[in-house]
Amino acid sequence: MATAFCLTSARTGSSVHADSAHAEQTASKAVKSQTVHRQHWFQFGRASWYGHALQGLPTATGEAYDMNAMTCAHRTLPLGSLVRVTNLRNHRSLVLRVNDRGPMVETHTRVVDLSYAAAKRLGFSHQGTVRVRLDLVDTRPTRTEVAMLTKPAM
């Protein structure tokens, strides 16, 4: 069964040093007001991969599918997002860019389709599927991050 979660954690801003008790109380209130809440999205399920049959066909982003790029397909994550995929069998992980929608197989356990190169690096290109954990890294990656993931795998 596939499962998605969001965890909330608090991170404080800068620390404030003060001499008097009153200044410490004021500083404490200021630090509490600077607390930033962030949610961390992650999901467990099965990953599959796709390769030769779809090479060169358009993806949901409009770009041509490249089986040698570090990309993946997910049903709901924003296109262009970066997601860390971890193979739970061998603990290898990669950061991939979501550039397509899928998996197209209608099953509640299949959560992501990877490019052939990504499946190979994660150690399951000889298998059909593997259990994985997905962790959302960024929904708005920089151009440099996208360029690094667009290059074919070596």
Side-chain angles (χ1 to χ4, degrees):
M1 178 188 281
T3 320
F5 300 93
C6 280
L7 296 179
T8 303
S9 63
R11 184 175 50 134
T12 58
S14 58
S15 60
V16 179
H17 300 286
D19 295 345
S20 71
H22 175 69
E24 284 182 21
Q25 288 175 347
T26 306
S28 175
K29 288 179 185 176
V31 170
K32 286 180 184 175
S33 69
Q34 293 178 5
T35 300
V36 177
H37 292 279
R38 299 215 173 185
Q39 291 186 337
H40 178 75
W41 180 93
F42 63 98
Q43 183 177 31
F44 291 94
R46 296 200 72 77
S48 54
W49 60 271
Y50 55 119
H52 298 288
L54 300 175
Q55 180 69 13
L57 294 178
T59 63
T61 60
E63 65 192 84
Y65 171 67
D66 181 358
M67 62 185 257
N68 296 307
M70 294 291 112
T71 59
C72 66
H74 192 274
R75 288 185 183 99
T76 59
L77 287 175
L79 294 173
S81 296
L82 299 182
V83 63
R84 177 175 305 282
V85 180
T86 304
N87 179 337
L88 295 177
R89 181 169 291 191
N90 62 17
H91 304 288
R92 292 181 190 174
S93 76
L94 285 174
V95 175
L96 305 175
R97 184 172 54 91
V98 178
N99 74 336
D100 207 357
R101 291 295 175 213
M104 295 304 161
V105 174
E106 291 300 323
T107 175
H108 63 280
T109 60
R110 192 91 50 97
V111 296
V112 67
D113 272 340
L114 309 183
S115 66
Y116 169 76
K120 188 172 181 179
R121 281 208 176 161
L122 289 175
F124 78 99
S125 60
H126 60 284
Q127 298 170 262
T129 65
V130 71
R131 186 142 167 77
V132 295
R133 174 183 167 133
L134 304 178
D135 289 277
L136 184 60
V137 174
D138 195 349
T139 57
R140 293 188 193 171
T142 65
R143 287 184 184 182
T144 304
E145 291 169 325
V146 170
M148 290 174 62
L149 292 171
T150 304
K151 290 181 182 178
M154 299 281 173

